[in-house]
Amino acid sequence: MDFKQTIQQTIEQHAPRFKNISLYIGANPELGNEEFLAAARLKEELVFHGFEVQAPVLGIETAFIATYKAAKPGPVVAFLAEYDALKGLGHACGHHLICMMSTGAAVGLKSIIDETGGEVRVYGTPAEETRGAKVPMAAAGLFDDCDIALMTHPYDRYEKSGKSLAIDAVQFEFFGQSAHAAASPHEGINALDAVIQTFNGINAFRQQVKSTVRIHGIINQGGQAANIIPDYASAQFYVRAATRQELNPLTRRVIQIAEGAALQTGCRLETSNYETSYDEMVTNRVLSDAFTANLVQAGISQEDITEGEDHGSMDIGNVSLHCPAIHPYIQVIDEKHALHTPEFRDLTMQDRAMEGMLLAARTLAWTACDVITNPELLARIKKEFALLNNER
């Protein structure tokens, strides 16, 4: 039995279904944790192909885990599906493609799993853009028994799986005292001053951080009128660093800066996390090399596959600390447009993007097939993962 040929034929057989679902999700964008239409279509498709679906997961209504387990024992393969959209932009990050890359790969791998042995799972992971479900899933140990976890991301070129930054999303709310800004300013406590002092303190702090650190924020509430001293103001910041170990003390310093601003101005400060914190992505290089080899086998020139870059922060980082994982990028458009733009959104609904989606599904499934059928490859993947864990 030619396992890879069987996988390819299976994906090609169901390609019209996969395309229709992707286009449906793309045309009906839903924000994180509100992806009811997308989750329903994905679960329905996986049930159609013989998967058992568990939903909701950890109380997250649009999260699910779909499983197909062969009678013969073997490795557990996890494909990660994202399907949330961006506020005001829709699917400008291509998550309507991501979910079908992983679903298509799972269906393809299922076609051989009874012969090879093993288990195929699709993790439906909502809200990657804001409150990524992979974080609580990883914390709950839901990936601990997975031998590998894989997903691909649409892009304007082919790129190997790389790194991402650990991130904390911190909100500072300052409470002061309103007063007439002209008649009785001495009776006021200016909450906006505290926000401005926080920004000034953080801007000064940036001189003493590594080049990999990113601290950026906005004033999301700064007062109601110029003649009223603001009794409430708030700011939201992202604090990013190469690793969680490096990030934690940086976030504490940023919080201390806000605390100092509150003391300076006489305000009361409340600090909270307005989005979920993500850990850094740690790519498993052995698994990544296997994926790249399959991409070449699928017809992509080695010269067209670039090294992995830092693309901000992703909740797959938390998964990568619990099992070997990769997150490569697949070219789905032929023009140069950045993610999170209307141009990228519109092009990902075209036939070219659908072709890229199916290529990704095939390459993901082929890579998983290699891992399942090659115990030596799996052993090297696990050895690298164990070594990296010991270093952390």
Side-chain angles (χ1 to χ4, degrees):
M1 181 179 184
D2 187 331
F3 291 141
K4 290 189 175 180
Q5 184 179 16
T6 299
I7 287 170
Q8 181 171 347
Q9 290 173 344
T10 301
I11 292 173
E12 289 175 351
Q13 175 188 348
H14 299 294
R17 298 177 63 92
F18 299 156
K19 291 178 183 179
N20 287 338
I21 296 170
S22 178
L23 291 171
Y24 171 81
I25 293 173
N28 294 277
E30 301 164 294
L31 298 180
N33 293 324
E34 299 175 7
E35 314 99 320
F36 297 103
L37 296 175
R41 284 298 296 269
L42 293 169
K43 289 185 288 185
E44 178 184 5
E45 182 68 9
L46 287 160
V47 168
F48 173 81
H49 291 286
F51 286 76
E52 293 185 4
V53 176
Q54 172 192 350
V57 177
L58 301 179
I60 305 170
E61 291 187 61
T62 54
F64 65 85
I65 302 175
T67 303
Y68 184 84
K69 187 174 184 178
K72 294 167 60 175
V76 178
V77 175
F79 296 108
L80 311 182
E82 299 171 359
Y83 33 90
D84 61 317
L86 291 157
K87 188 174 183 179
L89 275 176
H91 278 290
C93 202
H95 290 193
H96 62 300
L97 299 173
I98 290 176
C99 59
M100 293 314 299
M101 290 170 173
S102 289
T103 298
V107 172
L109 187 62
K110 175 185 174 290
S111 67
I112 66 163
I113 204 74
D114 287 325
E115 185 73 21
T116 64
E119 184 173 338
V120 189
R121 295 180 191 165
V122 178
Y123 286 76
T125 62
E128 188 275 335
E129 299 288 353
T130 51
R131 296 186 175 274
K134 297 183 194 67
V135 175
M137 285 180 165
L142 300 185
F143 297 101
D144 289 357
D145 66 338
C146 296
D147 289 281
I148 55 173
L150 312 93
M151 65 175 290
T152 47
H153 199 293
Y155 204 34
D156 61 9
R157 60 182 177 271
Y158 297 99
E159 191 175 292
K160 296 178 183 179
S161 183
K163 299 179 180 179
S164 70
L165 299 175
I167 184 172
D168 287 327
V170 187
Q171 176 166 285
F172 300 120
E173 296 179 280
F174 294 94
F175 299 86
Q177 175 63 53
S178 63
H180 195 295
S184 54
H186 55 283
E187 295 178 0
I189 299 175
N190 196 318
L192 180 57
D193 279 349
V195 167
I196 292 172
Q197 288 295 83
T198 300
F199 271 87
N200 289 338
I202 289 172
N203 286 338
F205 176 52
R206 283 197 185 96
Q207 299 176 61
Q208 283 80 50
V209 300
K210 294 180 179 180
S211 60
T212 53
V213 171
R214 302 285 185 270
I215 308 173
H216 43 103
I218 61 167
I219 300 173
N220 58 324
Q221 180 62 261
Q224 302 300 321
N227 64 344
I228 303 173
I229 290 178
D231 63 349
Y232 174 82
S234 66
Q236 294 179 335
F237 287 89
Y238 285 128
V239 187
R240 308 180 197 244
T243 66
R244 170 57 53 186
Q245 184 178 11
E246 181 182 346
L247 179 60
N248 285 339
L250 288 169
T251 301
R252 285 196 295 271
R253 284 291 302 275
V254 170
I255 292 172
Q256 288 168 351
I257 289 168
E259 290 171 344
L263 287 172
Q264 285 179 299
T265 57
C267 290
R268 177 172 62 87
L269 169 64
E270 289 186 6
T271 301
S272 61
N273 292 99
Y274 66 95
E275 290 178 1
T276 301
S277 295
Y278 295 172
D279 291 339
E280 70 274 14
M281 172 71 188
V282 179
T283 286
N284 187 281
R285 294 298 171 189
V286 177
L287 183 57
S288 177
D289 289 345
F291 179 87
T292 300
N294 277 292
L295 198 56
V296 172
Q297 185 179 346
I300 305 304
S301 170
Q302 183 77 54
E303 289 72 29
D304 291 334
I305 306 170
T306 62
E307 291 300 316
E309 297 180 3
D310 166 22
H311 289 277
S313 305
M314 309 175 292
D315 62 349
I316 191 178
N318 294 64
V319 178
S320 73
L321 304 183
H322 286 257
C323 70
I326 57 170
H327 184 278
Y329 288 77
I330 294 291
Q331 184 175 351
V332 299
I333 65 173
D334 293 322
E335 302 175 27
K336 293 296 181 184
H337 290 294
L339 301 172
H340 293 204
T341 61
E343 293 81 7
F344 187 84
R345 174 198 63 203
D346 295 344
L347 287 170
T348 59
M349 296 290 282
Q350 304 302 314
D351 288 344
R352 170 68 180 89
M354 297 297 115
E355 294 171 5
M357 177 186 76
L358 295 173
L359 171 66
R362 186 200 331 167
T363 309
L364 284 169
W366 280 1
T367 304
C369 173
D370 286 342
V371 174
I372 288 174
T373 58
N374 187 342
E376 189 272 335
L377 173 61
L378 179 56
R380 289 195 293 117
I381 289 169
K382 290 191 169 185
K383 181 180 179 180
E384 178 186 339
F385 180 74
L387 288 172
L388 287 173
N389 270 350
N390 290 335
E391 292 174 3
R392 283 197 294 271

